[in-house]
Amino acid sequence: MQNKSIEEIYLDIYNDKEIREIYNKINYLEENKYNGYAHHDFTHVCNVKNMAEKILKDLNYEQNIIEATKIAAIFHDVGAVQGKENHAYRSWEYAKEYFRKNNIVLKEEKLILDAIRNHSDGFDTDNIIRLALILSDKLDVKSTRITKLGSTIEGNRQFGNIEDIKVEIKNNELIIKFVTNDKIDLEELKNYYFMKKIWKSIRFFAEKLKLHYIVYLNDDIWNEIF
């Protein structure tokens, strides 16, 4: 792969059957063995990839950084095949070995690996790939994310009523819109612990990039938990 462009390398990784099989296994294990509340499957990593790409395009980053971020997104949860605990570190190990065995040489490799290893936290960085990956990962809490068990857990079950999460950056403002159905219990949702993590990720990302932020719940500004 060493003579390929970063766009071509990304497509090879995206279409790699080995990686798809890992995520299929993660999906099976999370539904049948691990008892997780949220999927770390290929649908999730694609949601994260698409959101991170939108964020970086809105910020006018060059295409090689966008492609590098998409690569990081595809790899970021492969380590969850052995469970959620320490999965970021295992994802980092897998990606590092994948680059080696496939003779992939990328100028952005260190930034990609740093983002994968630290995607669970770590906004104290100037690595825009890591920043975009963390925010996009935390924001993927719509209905496709929750497992069967997760749909029965108080608080977490409300994510099943989130139909979409839209992100836009313009005029130095980060705009996030949660789109829900009319079944959502907002009181239950806002008291759920993971909403605090989402709030922190929005605030930290905005502060790091010196952006004002505004959050909407459907068409209304959502101030209660932010």
PDB file of all heavy atoms in Angstrom, residues 14 37-38 70 74 79 115 117 125 183 202 213-214 219 226:
ATOM      1  N   TYR A  14     -11.258   0.634   4.992  1.00  0.00           N
ATOM      2  CA  TYR A  14     -12.717   0.627   5.134  1.00  0.00           C
ATOM      3  C   TYR A  14     -13.319  -0.674   4.612  1.00  0.00           C
ATOM      4  O   TYR A  14     -14.267  -1.217   5.197  1.00  0.00           O
ATOM      5  CB  TYR A  14     -13.301   1.824   4.388  1.00  0.00           C
ATOM      6  CG  TYR A  14     -14.812   1.888   4.387  1.00  0.00           C
ATOM      7  CD1 TYR A  14     -15.507   2.457   5.459  1.00  0.00           C
ATOM      8  CD2 TYR A  14     -15.548   1.378   3.323  1.00  0.00           C
ATOM      9  CE1 TYR A  14     -16.895   2.503   5.468  1.00  0.00           C
ATOM     10  CE2 TYR A  14     -16.936   1.424   3.319  1.00  0.00           C
ATOM     11  CZ  TYR A  14     -17.597   1.990   4.392  1.00  0.00           C
ATOM     12  OH  TYR A  14     -18.977   2.033   4.397  1.00  0.00           O
ATOM     13  N   TYR A  37     -24.089  -1.608  27.233  1.00  0.00           N
ATOM     14  CA  TYR A  37     -25.257  -0.771  26.981  1.00  0.00           C
ATOM     15  C   TYR A  37     -25.218  -0.132  25.591  1.00  0.00           C
ATOM     16  O   TYR A  37     -26.248   0.340  25.099  1.00  0.00           O
ATOM     17  CB  TYR A  37     -25.343   0.358  28.011  1.00  0.00           C
ATOM     18  CG  TYR A  37     -25.569  -0.082  29.435  1.00  0.00           C
ATOM     19  CD1 TYR A  37     -25.518   0.843  30.476  1.00  0.00           C
ATOM     20  CD2 TYR A  37     -25.825  -1.422  29.763  1.00  0.00           C
ATOM     21  CE1 TYR A  37     -25.725   0.459  31.795  1.00  0.00           C
ATOM     22  CE2 TYR A  37     -26.027  -1.810  31.081  1.00  0.00           C
ATOM     23  CZ  TYR A  37     -25.970  -0.866  32.102  1.00  0.00           C
ATOM     24  OH  TYR A  37     -26.158  -1.240  33.401  1.00  0.00           O
ATOM     25  N   ALA A  38     -24.024  -0.070  24.994  1.00  0.00           N
ATOM     26  CA  ALA A  38     -23.873   0.626  23.713  1.00  0.00           C
ATOM     27  C   ALA A  38     -23.006  -0.193  22.768  1.00  0.00           C
ATOM     28  O   ALA A  38     -22.052  -0.851  23.194  1.00  0.00           O
ATOM     29  CB  ALA A  38     -23.241   2.008  23.923  1.00  0.00           C
ATOM     30  N   LYS A  70     -10.583   9.753   9.337  1.00  0.00           N
ATOM     31  CA  LYS A  70     -11.470   8.650   8.954  1.00  0.00           C
ATOM     32  C   LYS A  70     -10.801   7.299   9.217  1.00  0.00           C
ATOM     33  O   LYS A  70     -11.452   6.350   9.673  1.00  0.00           O
ATOM     34  CB  LYS A  70     -11.863   8.794   7.483  1.00  0.00           C
ATOM     35  CG  LYS A  70     -12.810   9.963   7.225  1.00  0.00           C
ATOM     36  CD  LYS A  70     -12.832  10.413   5.777  1.00  0.00           C
ATOM     37  CE  LYS A  70     -13.330   9.380   4.812  1.00  0.00           C
ATOM     38  NZ  LYS A  70     -13.395   9.910   3.426  1.00  0.00           N
ATOM     39  N   ILE A  74     -12.155   4.333  11.885  1.00  0.00           N
ATOM     40  CA  ILE A  74     -12.400   2.927  11.549  1.00  0.00           C
ATOM     41  C   ILE A  74     -11.700   1.992  12.530  1.00  0.00           C
ATOM     42  O   ILE A  74     -12.245   0.954  12.921  1.00  0.00           O
ATOM     43  CB  ILE A  74     -11.947   2.631  10.106  1.00  0.00           C
ATOM     44  CG1 ILE A  74     -12.797   3.414   9.103  1.00  0.00           C
ATOM     45  CG2 ILE A  74     -12.010   1.129   9.811  1.00  0.00           C
ATOM     46  CD1 ILE A  74     -14.274   3.097   9.131  1.00  0.00           C
ATOM     47  N   GLY A  79     -10.474  -2.920  19.384  1.00  0.00           N
ATOM     48  CA  GLY A  79     -10.057  -3.567  20.625  1.00  0.00           C
ATOM     49  C   GLY A  79     -11.212  -4.002  21.501  1.00  0.00           C
ATOM     50  O   GLY A  79     -11.026  -4.785  22.448  1.00  0.00           O
ATOM     51  N   ALA A 115      -4.683   9.410  18.427  1.00  0.00           N
ATOM     52  CA  ALA A 115      -6.131   9.582  18.513  1.00  0.00           C
ATOM     53  C   ALA A 115      -6.815   8.286  18.921  1.00  0.00           C
ATOM     54  O   ALA A 115      -7.726   8.285  19.757  1.00  0.00           O
ATOM     55  CB  ALA A 115      -6.673  10.070  17.171  1.00  0.00           C
ATOM     56  N   ARG A 117      -5.516   5.724  20.590  1.00  0.00           N
ATOM     57  CA  ARG A 117      -5.153   5.333  21.958  1.00  0.00           C
ATOM     58  C   ARG A 117      -5.842   6.195  23.015  1.00  0.00           C
ATOM     59  O   ARG A 117      -6.118   5.731  24.127  1.00  0.00           O
ATOM     60  CB  ARG A 117      -3.634   5.431  22.130  1.00  0.00           C
ATOM     61  CG  ARG A 117      -3.142   4.904  23.469  1.00  0.00           C
ATOM     62  CD  ARG A 117      -1.640   4.780  23.500  1.00  0.00           C
ATOM     63  NE  ARG A 117      -1.166   4.205  24.735  1.00  0.00           N
ATOM     64  CZ  ARG A 117       0.084   3.845  24.976  1.00  0.00           C
ATOM     65  NH1 ARG A 117       1.000   3.999  24.030  1.00  0.00           N
ATOM     66  NH2 ARG A 117       0.444   3.321  26.132  1.00  0.00           N
ATOM     67  N   THR A 125      -4.845  18.416  24.178  1.00  0.00           N
ATOM     68  CA  THR A 125      -3.958  18.085  23.070  1.00  0.00           C
ATOM     69  C   THR A 125      -4.181  19.068  21.940  1.00  0.00           C
ATOM     70  O   THR A 125      -5.228  19.714  21.857  1.00  0.00           O
ATOM     71  CB  THR A 125      -4.242  16.649  22.555  1.00  0.00           C
ATOM     72  OG1 THR A 125      -3.373  16.365  21.459  1.00  0.00           O
ATOM     73  CG2 THR A 125      -5.675  16.503  22.092  1.00  0.00           C
ATOM     74  N   LYS A 183     -41.504  10.438  22.200  1.00  0.00           N
ATOM     75  CA  LYS A 183     -41.566   9.501  23.316  1.00  0.00           C
ATOM     76  C   LYS A 183     -40.487   9.768  24.361  1.00  0.00           C
ATOM     77  O   LYS A 183     -40.479   9.146  25.425  1.00  0.00           O
ATOM     78  CB  LYS A 183     -41.417   8.064  22.802  1.00  0.00           C
ATOM     79  CG  LYS A 183     -42.541   7.612  21.874  1.00  0.00           C
ATOM     80  CD  LYS A 183     -42.286   6.199  21.380  1.00  0.00           C
ATOM     81  CE  LYS A 183     -43.374   5.748  20.413  1.00  0.00           C
ATOM     82  NZ  LYS A 183     -43.114   4.377  19.885  1.00  0.00           N
ATOM     83  N   ILE A 202     -18.471  18.421  24.563  1.00  0.00           N
ATOM     84  CA  ILE A 202     -18.854  19.606  23.777  1.00  0.00           C
ATOM     85  C   ILE A 202     -18.107  20.832  24.283  1.00  0.00           C
ATOM     86  O   ILE A 202     -17.524  21.597  23.503  1.00  0.00           O
ATOM     87  CB  ILE A 202     -20.371  19.826  23.843  1.00  0.00           C
ATOM     88  CG1 ILE A 202     -21.119  18.680  23.141  1.00  0.00           C
ATOM     89  CG2 ILE A 202     -20.751  21.170  23.217  1.00  0.00           C
ATOM     90  CD1 ILE A 202     -22.616  18.684  23.369  1.00  0.00           C
ATOM     91  N   TYR A 213     -20.461  27.690  21.648  1.00  0.00           N
ATOM     92  CA  TYR A 213     -21.279  26.525  21.324  1.00  0.00           C
ATOM     93  C   TYR A 213     -22.726  26.751  21.735  1.00  0.00           C
ATOM     94  O   TYR A 213     -23.026  27.467  22.691  1.00  0.00           O
ATOM     95  CB  TYR A 213     -20.732  25.243  21.962  1.00  0.00           C
ATOM     96  CG  TYR A 213     -20.735  25.198  23.471  1.00  0.00           C
ATOM     97  CD1 TYR A 213     -21.842  24.705  24.157  1.00  0.00           C
ATOM     98  CD2 TYR A 213     -19.622  25.604  24.208  1.00  0.00           C
ATOM     99  CE1 TYR A 213     -21.847  24.639  25.545  1.00  0.00           C
ATOM    100  CE2 TYR A 213     -19.620  25.541  25.587  1.00  0.00           C
ATOM    101  CZ  TYR A 213     -20.727  25.056  26.257  1.00  0.00           C
ATOM    102  OH  TYR A 213     -20.740  24.995  27.621  1.00  0.00           O
ATOM    103  N   ILE A 214     -23.605  26.142  20.974  1.00  0.00           N
ATOM    104  CA  ILE A 214     -25.034  26.203  21.251  1.00  0.00           C
ATOM    105  C   ILE A 214     -25.631  24.832  20.946  1.00  0.00           C
ATOM    106  O   ILE A 214     -25.284  24.206  19.935  1.00  0.00           O
ATOM    107  CB  ILE A 214     -25.718  27.321  20.430  1.00  0.00           C
ATOM    108  CG1 ILE A 214     -27.201  27.431  20.805  1.00  0.00           C
ATOM    109  CG2 ILE A 214     -25.530  27.107  18.936  1.00  0.00           C
ATOM    110  CD1 ILE A 214     -27.855  28.690  20.256  1.00  0.00           C
ATOM    111  N   ASP A 219     -36.038  21.962  17.908  1.00  0.00           N
ATOM    112  CA  ASP A 219     -35.908  23.345  17.454  1.00  0.00           C
ATOM    113  C   ASP A 219     -35.690  24.339  18.590  1.00  0.00           C
ATOM    114  O   ASP A 219     -35.649  25.554  18.365  1.00  0.00           O
ATOM    115  CB  ASP A 219     -37.157  23.762  16.654  1.00  0.00           C
ATOM    116  CG  ASP A 219     -37.289  22.983  15.357  1.00  0.00           C
ATOM    117  OD1 ASP A 219     -36.245  22.738  14.717  1.00  0.00           O
ATOM    118  OD2 ASP A 219     -38.412  22.607  14.992  1.00  0.00           O
ATOM    119  N   PHE A 226     -26.830  21.814  29.969  1.00  0.00           N
ATOM    120  CA  PHE A 226     -25.582  22.357  29.432  1.00  0.00           C
ATOM    121  C   PHE A 226     -25.254  23.692  30.072  1.00  0.00           C
ATOM    122  O   PHE A 226     -24.216  24.230  29.891  1.00  0.00           O
ATOM    123  CB  PHE A 226     -25.672  22.491  27.903  1.00  0.00           C
ATOM    124  CG  PHE A 226     -25.799  21.161  27.212  1.00  0.00           C
ATOM    125  CD1 PHE A 226     -27.022  20.686  26.795  1.00  0.00           C
ATOM    126  CD2 PHE A 226     -24.682  20.374  27.002  1.00  0.00           C
ATOM    127  CE1 PHE A 226     -27.118  19.448  26.161  1.00  0.00           C
ATOM    128  CE2 PHE A 226     -24.785  19.146  26.380  1.00  0.00           C
ATOM    129  CZ  PHE A 226     -26.010  18.690  25.956  1.00  0.00           C
TER     130      PHE A 226
END
